[in-house]
């Protein structure tokens, strides 16, 4: 169950339902996870500073079980996610940062238990 959190100083109008569905589909494909397991949160309109400027920017956090646990995997994920964000949001790559977090099954609760027991 991957968790995708996008934080940005871009206005909410940039993040339509269509964008959310595309981002969910893209990250599911990149991570090799089913779309129906994706959890996506977008936080627009935040006061943000990146590289000394408040120009439009995005921080994308990707937390998942078993697919974000090595530099090699995350390098590949990054290479596949960056073009999508650049194309959809009109940002340059220096205005986007992706953080990867490796989760263990016992760290994700669902249906009154944890993923280790599902």
């Amino acid at each position: 169950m991957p968790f995708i959190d996008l934080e940005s100083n871009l206005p909410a109008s940039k993040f339509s339902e269509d964008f959310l569905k595309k981002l969910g589909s893209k990250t599911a494909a990149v991570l090799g996870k089913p779309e129906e397991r994706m959890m996506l949160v977008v936080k627009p309109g935040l006061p943000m500073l990146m590289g000394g400027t408040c120009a439009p920017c995005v921080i994308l956090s990707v937390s998942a079980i078993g697919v974000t646990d090595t530099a090699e995997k995350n390098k590949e994920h990054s290479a596949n996610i960056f073009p999508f964000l650049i194309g959809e949001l009109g940002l340059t790559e220096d205005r986007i940062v992706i953080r990867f977090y490796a989760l263990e099954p016992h760290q994700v609760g669902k249906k009154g238990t944890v993923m280790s027991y599902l």
Side-chain angles (χ1 to χ4, degrees), residues 26-46:
K26 178 64 175 179
T27 53
V30 167
L31 299 173
K33 299 287 187 173
E35 282 188 55
E36 59 271 8
R37 295 201 122 184
M38 301 301 291
M39 301 292 294
L40 180 65
V41 176
V42 173
K43 299 172 189 165
L46 298 173

Side-chain angles (χ1 to χ4, degrees), residues 30 72-83 98 100:
V30 167
E72 292 79 21
K73 290 177 188 176
N74 293 339
K75 182 179 178 186
E76 186 174 330
H77 300 329
S78 185
N80 285 297
I81 295 170
F82 260 83
I98 303 175
F100 295 98

